[in-house]
Amino acid sequence: MALDQSFVGRTYPPTDPYEVGREKIREFAEAVGDTHPAYIDPEAAKALGHPDVIAPPTFVFSITFKAAGQVVRDPQLGLDYSRVVHGDQKFAYRRPVRAGDRLTVTSTIEAIKSMAGNDIVDVRGEVHDEAGEHVVTAWTKLVARAAEEG
């Protein structure tokens, strides 16, 4: 059954702050195989003009995807998470994520579509630091696959 289009534009409350740690950045950089010195060495990051180590561009996915859980768990929306796959992801940065940032995410449903029995939900996550500065916007496409007939 198609999801309710009236949910387009619905914004969920900001998440609790997530404190970005140097070790989390280093672990993520190693996990994705990107060992740029600015991700692991504070002095290398400072030499590039950053106050501390910065995170690889896709690091913020773990924060925004968790925040999108508010959408997924919304019982009124009725998305069947057991059928959800991650369809797409993109980011638009104002500045890099840095160690020491305390980030909150506000999620908004941007679009709901149905194609070939699949429900597709586009979620925009606006990421702000503790001072309220916009850091990055992340767009996540979730696809709830159609139920198999039989």
Side-chain angles (χ1 to χ4, degrees):
M1 184 161 109
L3 297 176
D4 185 345
Q5 289 291 315
S6 72
F7 279 78
V8 173
R10 180 174 286 197
T11 297
Y12 294 79
T15 61
D16 290 334
Y18 174 89
E19 187 164 345
V20 179
R22 280 184 187 166
E23 187 64 14
K24 287 289 185 187
I25 291 172
R26 184 192 63 75
E27 289 171 351
F28 185 88
E30 287 180 358
V32 298
D34 191 344
T35 56
H36 188 286
Y39 304 153
I40 56 177
D41 180 2
E43 294 309 313
K46 288 176 185 173
L48 294 172
H50 304 289
D52 205 331
V53 295
I54 60 172
T58 55
F59 176 86
V60 77
F61 171 76
S62 60
I63 304 166
T64 58
F65 190 73
K66 182 177 179 183
Q70 292 176 306
V71 174
V72 170
R73 290 186 306 273
D74 185 336
Q76 294 175 348
L77 178 61
L79 186 66
D80 182 357
Y81 190 70
S82 71
R83 300 192 165 288
V84 169
V85 295
H86 183 236
D88 192 21
Q89 188 70 51
K90 62 183 176 177
F91 306 97
Y93 276 86
R94 295 259 181 164
R95 68 160 176 85
V97 170
R98 306 182 283 238
D101 277 341
R102 290 177 49 82
L103 304 175
T104 59
V105 182
T106 303
S107 297
T108 300
I109 298 175
E110 281 204 330
I112 295 174
K113 299 178 267 216
S114 289
M115 294 175 63
N118 300 311
D119 288 319
I120 302 167
V121 181
D122 292 321
V123 179
R124 183 183 75 243
E126 298 288 348
V127 181
H128 292 85
D129 66 14
E130 198 167 31
E133 178 187 351
H134 179 242
V135 177
V136 59
T137 300
W139 290 270
T140 303
K141 185 178 297 290
L142 302 174
V143 180
R145 297 167 292 133
E148 294 179 16
E149 294 183 29

